[in-house]
Amino acid sequence: MCGIAGLISLDRTPLPEDTGRQLSTMSASLAHRGPDDSGQWISPDRHLGFAHTRLSIIDPSAEAHQPMVSKDGNVLIFNGEIYNYGELRAKYKLAVPPSDTAVLLALLERFGDKIIPDLRGFFTFAFWGASTNELLIARDAIGKKPLYYSTLGSVLLFASEARTLIRSGLVRPLVSADAMRKYLAFYAVPHPLSIFQGVSTLPAGSVLRVKSDTVSISQWYQLPEYSPTAIAYPEAVRETRRLLEESVRYRLVSDVPVGAFLSAGLDSNAVVGLMAREVSKPIETFSIGFHSKNVASETEMARIGATAFGTRHHERIISGEDVAALLPKFFSAMDSPTGDGLNTFLVAHFARAASPSLKVVLSGVGGDELFLGYRKYRWLAQHKKLAELVWSLPAGLRHRFARLLPKDTGSRSATAVRALLDPANIRSLFSAEEITSLLANSSSESYKSYRTYVPKPDLQSIIEHDLQYYLHDTLLRDLDQMTMAHSLEARAPLLDKELMEFAWQLPIELKARGGSKQLLADAVRDVIPNEILEKPKSGFELPMHEWLLRGALKPELDLLANGNLALIEEGLLRKEGVAKVHRDFITGHSHYLKPWSIIVLEHWWRCHADQTAR
C-alpha cells in the first residue's frame, strides 16, 4: 500500500525548476500512506514528474523501490496489490523480480491497459509509456483505492488524496458549493466530485489517458447488466464458498503477517474463520467495544469467534472520554469529510497500538450489499408484490406519500417504506429543504439536480445504487482514509470482483431466502460458531446518541447550539439552520447523524483552514 502523486505538462512545456520541491511537498503529505520508503522521478525533458511513498508488503526489498523505471525508460508508480502477480509472471514468462510492481510494469509495457481486466487485486497506478508518449492512470474495478486529479491550464496533477493537490501549491483551496450540498444530502461527497473546486475523483473501473495535449477518461469495467442466473440454492451455496475461499486465499498474499478486524457480525467472522484455515500461525484479530445502556457492544460475540478460530485476539473497551480525546486525530485523518468513518478510525487506531508492527488487515466490508444484509433490502424483497404495485404508481404521487411519513423516526420499517415510495432518497440525510435552510446564499432552485444518480424503482437498482455510490463514496473511502491514516493496508475479501459479480447475478428471491444473509451463513456454516450464526442481524454502531446528548461528546453538540462555528463565521452555513439541527436532535426528532455530520464538517474545515478558503 502506498501513496502516489504526479504532474504532467500537457503541451510538453518544461515544468518549473522547482517541480522537485513541489513533488517533495506532495510526497510528504502522503507519508502516512507509505512510511517505509519514498522516491521521485522527473523526465529528462522535465514535462512529467512522479512521487511515491511506500508501505512495504510484497517484496520489501530495494528492488521494488518506486518510481520503478524499466530498461526501456517506461515508468510506474503503483498503490495497491496485485494478488495474482505470481501467476501472471509465470503465464507470460516475465524475466522480472518476484514483485507485483515489477510484474505490473512488465505487463503494461507489453499489453498496455488491455491487461487491466486480468489483474486480481486493488490498485491505482500511473504508467508512463516512453515509446508511446502516453500517460495511463487507472483505478481498480470496485474503487478500493482513491485517485484525485485536477487540470490547471496546461498542467494535470493527480494524487491518492485530494489535499495533496492543495498542498502542491498549484490548486486553489476553494470548497465546492455543489460538493457541500451533496455532502449534506449523503454525509459524504459522491464521485466524480471532490470537496474542492476543480478537483475530481477518478471513478472506479476507469482509465484516465493523457496523449499529447488530450485528456480522456474511459471505463474499463462496469458492473454487468443484471441477468439472474438459473441456479439451485445448494449450488449457489457451494459456489459462494468456493469463491470466498479463493478470495481469502488471494488476500493472504503478503511478505508480512496479515491480521483482521473482527466484530460480532457474520461477515468478519466468515473472513477470519476461512483465514484461520489457510495459515499455520495464529492470526492477530482486533475488536473494540464500549459500555452503554442503549447500544449492545460486540466484544463478547467477537471473543467467541476469536476463541473458535484460535486467534491472538486484542480487545479494547473504549469510553466516550477516549473518543473525545481522539477526535482531533480523527478529524485530521479526513481527506474528505465523512459522517460514517469514526468506527473504522477507532478500530484501526487501537489495532496499531496493540500491534505496532502490523501492516495488513482483512475487513468484512461489503457483505450487506452482496448478500441482502440490510433490513430494507429484505423487507422490499419479502414484499415483492406490494413493491411492484407501489412502483407502478406515478413518481409524483409516490413522492407526495413519502413526504407524509414521519421523519427521522429511526424505524427500520419506515426506512423500507420510504425506499419503496421514493428510491431516490434511499440514502439521503438532509432533505433539499433542510439543505436550503442550512447553506448560506442558497435557494431551493439550487437542488433540482443535486443527486448524482437516481435509482429506478426496483430493488436491483436500489442495490446497484448502493454498490456504485454508498459503497464507493462512503464505506470504501472511509476504510481507505482511516486505515491509511495509521499506515495500515485494509483488504476486503467479500468485495473480490469475481465473488461480487456472482452474488450480483443471483436471483433476489434466492438471496432473500431464510434469515439475514442466509446464503452466506450456509456457505460458512461449518466454520462459524452457532452463537454467531444464530445472532440477529445488527450493524456495528457506536453509542453516539448518548455520547452527544449527555456524554463526553456533548461539548461538540453545544457548538451547534451557541452558533460558535467557523462555517457560520465564514458565511457558509446559516446560524438558524444549524440551531434547528441541534433543537431537532435534543428534542428527539432526528437521528444523531444529522448534528454529527455538521460537527464533522466544522472540524474538517478547521483542520484544513490554513489551506481552505471559500
Side-chain angles (χ1 to χ4, degrees), residues 166-485:
I166 304 302
R167 291 178 185 176
S168 72
L170 299 175
V171 178
R172 294 184 65 198
L174 304 176
V175 169
S176 163
D178 194 19
M180 283 274 284
R181 288 194 291 270
K182 289 176 178 172
Y183 168 76
L184 292 172
F186 304 115
Y187 53 97
V189 179
H191 71 281
L193 293 176
S194 83
I195 191 64
F196 297 111
Q197 287 184 30
V199 175
S200 299
T201 302
L202 185 66
S206 293
V207 172
L208 185 152
R209 181 177 278 101
V210 180
K211 181 75 171 178
S212 298
D213 60 351
T214 301
V215 179
S216 62
I217 296 176
S218 59
Q219 290 288 128
W220 71 265
Y221 178 81
Q222 290 181 312
L223 195 65
E225 183 178 347
Y226 178 57
S227 179
T229 307
I231 188 172
Y233 185 79
E235 184 183 349
V237 170
R238 287 192 294 272
E239 183 64 3
T240 298
R241 174 61 173 265
R242 185 190 71 80
L243 287 169
L244 187 54
E245 286 180 336
E246 182 179 78
S247 177
V248 168
R249 198 173 299 122
Y250 268 124
R251 280 152 186 82
L252 292 173
V253 173
S254 172
D255 290 323
V256 298
V258 179
F261 295 156
L262 182 62
S263 71
L266 173 63
D267 301 338
S268 65
N269 276 274
V271 167
V272 175
L274 293 176
M275 283 177 72
R277 295 186 167 207
E278 296 289 337
V279 298
S280 58
K281 295 180 180 180
I283 302 160
E284 285 194 282
T285 51
F286 307 90
S287 299
I288 59 171
F290 42 81
H291 296 301
S292 170
K293 295 179 181 178
N294 303 308
V295 180
S297 181
E298 301 205 338
T299 48
E300 182 179 349
M301 296 300 290
R303 210 177 301 135
I304 289 172
T307 301
F309 308 137
T311 74
R312 290 177 53 207
H313 190 55
H314 305 271
E315 177 185 301
R316 175 68 183 265
I317 303 299
I318 58 174
S319 65
E321 289 74 18
D322 293 329
V323 175
L326 285 169
L327 282 184
K329 291 183 178 180
F330 168 63
F331 295 131
S332 179
M334 285 184 191
D335 184 41
S336 180
T338 172
D340 199 42
L342 182 58
N343 54 353
T344 304
F345 174 87
L346 292 171
V347 70
H349 178 82
F350 290 118
R352 170 60 80 187
S355 183
S357 62
L358 182 71
K359 289 187 177 183
V360 185
V361 289
L362 267 57
S363 164
V365 67
D368 287 327
E369 288 74 18
L370 265 60
F371 295 103
L372 241 61
Y374 295 122
R375 287 187 175 93
K376 61 177 173 288
Y377 289 173
R378 301 188 62 76
W379 192 94
L380 291 170
Q382 292 162 1
H383 297 81
K384 181 180 177 182
K385 291 184 178 179
L386 172 62
E388 290 174 347
L389 175 63
V390 172
W391 284 330
S392 69
L393 298 174
L397 181 60
R398 288 189 282 107
H399 296 167
R400 284 195 292 275
F401 282 141
R403 285 195 291 269
L404 296 175
L405 289 172
K407 289 183 169 53
D408 304 312
T409 62
S411 164
R412 301 290 186 181
S413 58
T415 301
V417 172
R418 188 170 286 107
L420 175 66
L421 293 170
D422 189 8
N425 280 302
I426 189 166
R427 286 288 177 187
S428 62
L429 181 60
F430 290 104
S431 68
E433 294 77 14
E434 289 173 318
I435 295 171
T436 301
S437 70
L438 275 167
L439 286 181
N441 304 316
S442 65
S443 68
S444 59
E445 292 299 308
S446 305
Y447 305 102
K448 286 185 175 179
S449 61
Y450 76 91
R451 299 190 185 283
T452 304
Y453 172 84
V454 178
K456 298 174 184 177
D458 63 72
L459 180 53
Q460 196 69 15
S461 292
I462 291 172
I463 296 171
E464 182 179 13
H465 172 270
D466 275 357
L467 287 172
Q468 293 189 351
Y469 288 92
Y470 178 61
L471 181 69
H472 180 289
D473 299 318
T474 301
L475 298 183
L476 289 178
R477 184 183 289 169
D478 289 350
L479 184 67
D480 175 79
Q481 282 186 171
M482 300 311 166
T483 54
M484 291 310 297

Side-chain angles (χ1 to χ4, degrees), residues 567-587:
L567 292 168
I568 294 174
E569 293 176 5
E570 292 289 334
L572 292 170
L573 294 184
R574 290 175 170 157
K575 185 174 182 178
E576 299 79 9
V578 171
K580 186 177 185 303
V581 172
H582 176 268
R583 187 165 59 251
D584 286 348
F585 175 65
I586 64 172
T587 56

